[in-house]
Amino acid sequence: MDHRIAIIGLGYVGLPLAVEFGKKYPVVGFDINAARISELRSFSDRTLETSPEDLKAATMLSFTTNPEDLKTCNTYIVTVPTPVDAYNRPDITLLLKASATVGSLINKGDIVIYESTVYPGATEEDCVPVIEKASGLKYNRDFFCGYSPERINPGDKAHRLVNIRKVTSGSTHEAARIVDGLYGSIIVAGTHCAPSIKVAEAAKVIENAQRDINIAFVNELAMIFSRMGIRTNDVLEAARTKWNFLPFSPGLVGGHCIGVDPYYLTHKAEGLGYIPQVILAGRRINDGMGRYVATQLIKMMVKKRLRITETKILVLGITFKENCPDIRNSKVIDVIEQLKDFDCRVDVYDPIADAAEVRHEYGIDIITSPSGLTCRYEGIMAAVAHDAFRNLDLDKIKANECVVYDVKNFIPDANGSL
C-alpha cells in the first residue's frame, strides 16, 4: 500500500509519530489548536518531546488546522486524548469527534488506525459506527481499521517511540498485515501483531493498570512504615537486593495514563456485570495520596509547634511527573487544595510548567522564582523531582524550624518523606 498518512492530534503521542513517519512517507499533521500548528511550523515543540532538529528532519511532514487538507490521505491515525470526567468515567468525546472527521474524508480502501487509550471494544463498537455514518461506507468492505496503542513515556529520553516495541492489530488479516508493516518500517525495536483489535486494546489498559496497582501497594506500605517510624526508601533499598523484587517506588500517581487507564478497564468490566476489586482498591489508594502527604506535612509542622493558619508553604512542582511540562491530571493539585483547606498560604514554583496553562487549568498563578523573596517558608513540599530543583538553595528561603517534606526522595536533608 502506498501510504499517505494523516495524524489527527499532535500532542505527546501524535507529534513524535508524525515526525518519524514524516521521514519516510507523505504525512499531514492535523490539530484544531492553531497556536500549536504555528509553533510546529516554526520547529518548536512546547511538550519538549521533539527537538527542532527532529522536526526539520521530517522533510515529508506538513501541518494544518484544515480537515480538507487530509483528503488526499489514505491512512488515518487518530491520537487524540481520552481522559476521564469528574466522576472518573471514560470521556471519549474527542475520539468520537475525530472519528466523525475521518468519516467525512475517507474513501474506499482507506485504513483508520487508533492509538488513543480506550476500553476493549471501543474501536469497533463506538468509533466504527461513527465513521460508517459520516462516510456512508461499510466497515471491512469499503474501509478497514487498526489499533496500535501508544507507549509514549513523556519526559523519558531513553525510551523513545522507535526503540519501544509496538503492538499492532487490524480488523482483517490483510489489514493487520498492512498496519504491522507500516509501523515496522519505523519501529527499530520491532512489532507484535495481536490477533484482534480488542486484544490490543486490552493489552494497553492492563499495562498501566498493573503499574497503578504496584504503586498503590508501595504507597500503602509507605503509610504503614510511617506509623512504624522507619523510612520507606530504606526498606525498599533492602528489599531490592532480591533478584525478583519489583522496583516500584511510592508517589503521586497522575497524568493521562496510569492515573486514567484503570478506569477505562473497570468501566468495561462493570458494564459486563463484574465489579473489579483489586484495580479499584489501588485507584482509591493512589487517588488519596495527595491529601495524605499534605496532611503529613501539617502534622510535622504541628509537632514543631509551628503556626498553621496563614502560614507560608512552598510547593515545588505542579506537573504530573519530573522533567515534563505536562500538567494534565496532576495529583499535586490535591496537595495544594488540602494545604489550602488548612488555611495555609501556598506558593507554587515550577520552572518547567507553562504558567498560562496552569492558570487556565487550575486557577493558580505559579511564582517565577522562590529565591530573593522577602518572606520565608515554614513548610516546603517537594512534590515533583525536576532536575532543576536539585540545585536549589533551600536554606535561603526556609524560616526557622521549617519542615521539608520530600515526596520523591531527592532532597538529602528533608525532614520527612513518603
Side-chain angles (χ1 to χ4, degrees), residues 264-312:
Y264 274 77
L265 182 56
T266 58
H267 168 81
K268 187 66 175 182
E270 289 170 352
L272 295 171
Y274 179 78
I275 307 300
Q277 303 298 314
V278 175
I279 298 171
L280 289 177
R283 273 287 79 222
R284 283 192 294 272
I285 291 172
N286 288 340
D287 277 344
M289 289 310 292
R291 294 181 294 276
Y292 171 78
V293 298
T295 303
Q296 289 299 102
L297 172 63
I298 295 298
K299 285 182 178 180
M300 294 177 69
M301 293 174 67
V302 169
K303 287 180 179 180
K304 287 198 171 191
R305 300 185 184 279
L306 294 173
R307 177 175 55 89
I308 302 301
T309 302
E310 292 297 309
T311 194
K312 291 280 290 182

Side-chain angles (χ1 to χ4, degrees), residues 160-234:
R160 312 301 292 168
L161 172 66
V162 297
N163 55 28
I164 301 173
R165 194 173 181 191
K166 200 85 161 68
V167 173
T168 66
S169 64
S171 56
T172 65
H173 178 77
E174 179 63 13
R177 184 190 68 78
I178 293 172
V179 171
D180 191 67
L182 174 64
Y183 282 99
S185 69
I186 64 166
I187 305 297
V188 176
T191 61
H192 172 86
C193 189
S196 70
I197 286 177
K198 188 175 288 188
V199 166
E201 291 169 328
K204 171 58 183 177
V205 288
I206 71 163
E207 288 174 16
N208 286 324
Q210 181 188 68
R211 285 185 56 78
D212 193 46
I213 292 167
N214 279 292
I215 296 171
F217 173 62
V218 292
N219 275 339
E220 188 166 54
L221 292 179
M223 290 186 276
I224 295 170
F225 295 146
S226 174
R227 295 184 177 215
M228 295 180 179
I230 56 179
R231 295 182 71 247
T232 306
N233 200 48
D234 291 342

Side-chain angles (χ1 to χ4, degrees), residues 7-23 27-31 36-37 39-41 43-52 54-56 58 61-63 77-80 115 150 152 160-161 186:
I7 307 289
I8 299 173
L10 297 174
Y12 286 85
V13 176
L15 181 61
L17 198 65
V19 167
E20 290 304 322
F21 277 132
K23 296 173 183 178
V27 177
V28 182
F30 170 81
D31 201 286
R36 176 70 168 157
I37 294 300
E39 72 179 29
L40 292 176
R41 286 172 174 168
F43 307 108
S44 175
D45 172 27
R46 72 179 68 182
T47 70
L48 307 181
E49 292 299 302
T50 306
S51 69
D54 288 332
L55 286 165
K56 291 175 183 177
L61 170 62
S62 62
F63 299 106
I77 303 179
V78 178
T79 61
V80 297
E115 289 217 4
E150 59 90 2
I152 296 295
R160 312 301 292 168
L161 172 66
I186 64 166

Side-chain angles (χ1 to χ4, degrees), residues 362-378:
Y362 300 118
I364 293 172
D365 289 311
I366 58 178
I367 62 175
T368 56
S369 173
S371 61
L373 299 176
T374 56
C375 65
R376 288 178 176 263
Y377 296 99
E378 286 82 18

